[in-house]
Amino acid sequence: MQNNLETPKEITKEKSKDCCSNDESCGTCMKGGFPMKKEALSFITLIMVAATTMLSVLLINEKRANLSSIVLDSKSDVGSVAKTYEMPAVKSISEKIELPTPKITGKMSVEEAIQTRRSKRVYSEEPVTMSELSQILWSAQGVTDDKGHRTAPSARGVYPYSLYVVVRNVEGLESGLYLYDSESHTLGNLGLANAGELLAASGVQDNSQKAPIVIAMAVAFAKTAVSFPDNPEEVTFLEGGHIGQNIYLQAEAMKMATVVTAGFDAAKVGEILGLDKNETIVYLVPFGHLGVEVPAE
Ligand SMILES: Cc1cc2nc3c(=O)[nH]c(=O)nc-3n(C[C@H](O)[C@H](O)[C@H](O)COP(=O)(O)O)c2cc1C
């Protein structure tokens, strides 16, 4: 037993004598490797660690460069699209119609409206009154202070949405197409008397074919691009959701019916309503009194 334990010690000592002046300065021969001084081994280890670190840094940097070029590419793609956006032409308005002053108190709490809100797609024959029309438009884009802030939030206060109103059945208002003016809380008559029929014939959903009014929420991305040149679409679409929810909650509080709809051909509907090619309809929002759904036979 004793012999077995001593043998490796002796061999080691012999090896160290071959290569190094003493045991303690030998870096490798004690482990059976190539004879080398400890200082030389430390130096080589240091070089290898430094080389590996440099290589890793180079690889990470290259990966980062690739990633940022992808981001830059996608940004410059959107940027170049954004640069092609143009402001829509100013609409020619034949007549301005005053809307009744909207109410800012009601019978239903906001909590109750949130609790009971549902999309409702069937509307009765009952005409919408001017007060109801005024109220729903105000909830969507009305001005609520003397700085021009509106009922729905807007990134950097750009307010890129225009509300076009297809009127089919509103008490005391000719059928046609109107543009809501938030600042003056008026409707501008765009003079398209058969807008309701044109919309119905354009293949939009049943709810927008029959509702007494349909609000076409249109955006001009050029307006948002002034403040958000890299990605004007993103904030613009987000804002559409806020406006849509205001309409939903206001309709609920009035015990009326509405649904936001995105399932239509925006280019086609824009064209039949005579909108500028630089405006895009994001939502069609039919609105009216709640109708009774006829069960399918
Ligand atoms: C972005 C978006 C697009 C929608 N598009 C349509 C649509 O094209 N047609 C439709 O009937 N409802 C549409 N809706 C309404 C949803 O169908 C409805 O919100 C969903 O069925 C949930 O029902 P609720 O609104 O009663 O809670 C849309 C809703 C959102 C948020």
Side-chain angles (χ1 to χ4, degrees), residues 204-269:
V204 292
Q205 287 177 13
D206 205 46
N207 42 64
S208 283
Q209 287 186 26
K210 294 178 182 161
I213 74 158
V214 180
I215 301 168
M217 285 173 44
V219 295
F221 292 114
K223 290 183 191 169
T224 324
V226 173
S227 289
F228 301 93
D230 285 348
N231 195 354
E233 292 95 339
E234 199 171 270
V235 287
T236 309
F237 287 129
L238 289 170
E239 286 181 30
H242 294 289
I243 299 171
Q245 185 71 356
N246 274 13
I247 296 176
Y248 262 126
L249 295 180
Q250 179 68 80
E252 195 58 35
M254 293 159 77
K255 298 198 182 305
M256 292 182 74
T258 194
V259 57
V260 296
T261 71
F264 58 91
D265 182 336
K268 190 172 175 186
V269 175

Side-chain angles (χ1 to χ4, degrees), residues 82-104:
K83 276 180 200 126
T84 66
Y85 291 139
E86 283 171 31
M87 288 289 186
V90 176
K91 299 283 173 310
S92 133
I93 286 166
S94 58
E95 169 196 20
K96 276 214 165 202
I97 296 136
E98 299 274 336
L99 286 165
T101 307
K103 291 183 189 147
I104 53 165

Side-chain angles (χ1 to χ4, degrees), residues 2-73:
Q2 216 176 350
N3 271 351
N4 283 349
L5 280 174
E6 279 173 4
T7 312
K9 212 175 174 186
E10 277 160 17
I11 292 168
T12 310
K13 273 188 178 173
E14 263 170 39
K15 265 199 165 185
S16 73
K17 272 173 199 158
D18 285 347
C19 63
C20 314
S21 55
N22 60 58
D23 286 352
E24 278 162 22
S25 68
C26 181
T28 56
C29 61
M30 279 193 323
K31 293 168 189 153
F34 187 77
M36 193 181 289
K37 289 221 172 208
K38 266 189 178 171
E39 291 78 8
L41 180 68
S42 304
F43 181 69
I44 289 173
T45 311
L46 202 72
I47 296 286
M48 282 173 71
V49 169
T52 315
T53 311
M54 274 176 69
L55 199 70
S56 310
V57 169
L58 282 174
L59 282 172
I60 290 169
N61 277 348
E62 196 183 319
K63 213 159 191 127
R64 271 194 191 152
N66 283 345
L67 271 178
S68 52
S69 74
I70 291 166
V71 172
L72 278 176
D73 279 356

